[in-house]
Amino acid sequence: MARNIQSLERAAAMLRLLAGGERRLGLSEVASALDLAKGTAHGILRTLQHEGFVEQDPTSGRYQLGAELLRLGNSYLDVHELRARALVWTDDLARSSGESAYLGVLHQQGVLIVHHVFRPDDSRQVLEVGAMQPLHSTALGKVLCAYDPVALAEALDAPVAPESFTSRTVTSPLDFEGVLDLTRARGWASDVEETWEGVASIAAPIHDRRRMPVGAVGIAGAVERICPDGELKPELVAAVRDCARAVSRDLGAGRF
C-alpha cells in the first residue's frame, strides 16, 4: 500500500486549520494546534505563502488563507456552472451552424475542452472532452488570451517557444499581441488552418456575473464550409457570438 507524503498531509492540515478560524493565526498557534515544531511549521507556511495559498499580515506577522486558493476554488465552481449553463446553448449552436461546438477553459498553459457537441450529421466523430488545445493558435485560446490576463501570461511566459503547427501559425509575440488587439476590437477570434490543415474555427468569450472571462465557446469544421472563398461566413460568426452572449447572460453577466 502506497504511503502518504507527510509534508503534504501537514500542509493540507494547515490549510484546513486556517480555513476553520475566524481570525489570523500566529506561527506558535499553528505549530501548537498541529503538534509541530516551530521550524517545521514555519517552513511549510513559507512554502504555502510562496505559492500564494497563504498570506502573512505584514504588521502582525499572522497568517491567513491566500488569494490563490480563492482563485482555484472559483475556477472549480465556474467550470461546473459554466458547463451546466452552456449545455442547451451549445446544442443550439451546433444545430444552427452545422458544425461541432466546443466549450473551453484555461488550464495548465492551454485550453481544456470541457464540453463538445458533435456536428449534426452522420459522420464518424471522436468526443474531445478533456482534450487540450494550444492557447496561441486556436480561436478558443486567442479569446482566452485576449480577455484573461492570466491566460495571456501563460501563453507569453511559457518555458518553450510557441509551436508552429502550420505555415499560418503566429509565433511572434509582437504579431500575437496584434492578433489579440483585433480579437478585443471585434469581440471574437478565428483560426484558419493555424493549428490543423484544412480546419477553421471561430470563438467568442464567456463572462460571469462579475464580468470576468470564465471560458470561450466556438465552432470548428472544414475550411471550405466555414470560410468559403477565403472569407469567414458572417452568419457563423454571429451564431457563435450569440451563443457566448446567451451563456454569459445565464451566468449573470447581463448584456454585452
Side-chain angles (χ1 to χ4, degrees), residues 24-89:
R24 300 182 180 96
L25 297 177
L27 173 61
S28 296
E29 293 170 303
V30 172
S32 176
L34 299 178
D35 195 23
L36 295 174
K38 278 190 178 181
T40 301
H42 187 245
I44 296 173
L45 284 168
R46 287 286 299 273
T47 301
L48 292 173
Q49 183 181 1
H50 177 74
E51 296 298 328
F53 297 140
V54 164
E55 294 175 356
Q56 184 180 30
D57 182 76
T59 302
S60 67
R62 292 175 174 269
Y63 295 90
Q64 65 182 14
L65 294 181
E68 181 65 12
L69 273 180
L70 178 62
R71 188 186 74 82
L72 291 176
N74 282 341
S75 296
Y76 175 82
L77 294 174
D78 285 345
V79 167
H80 287 268
E81 184 179 5
L82 172 62
R83 187 177 182 279
R85 298 286 185 178
L87 289 176
V88 172
W89 298 112

Side-chain angles (χ1 to χ4, degrees), residues 1 11 25 53 63 81 90 144 186 210 250:
M1 182 176 177
L25 297 177
F53 297 140
Y63 295 90
E81 184 179 5
T90 48
L144 292 175
R186 63 188 186 182
R210 300 160 297 170
D250 274 5

Side-chain angles (χ1 to χ4, degrees), residues 46 61 107 124 130 226 241:
R46 287 286 299 273
H107 181 67
R124 183 176 181 180
I226 290 183
R241 299 192 70 189

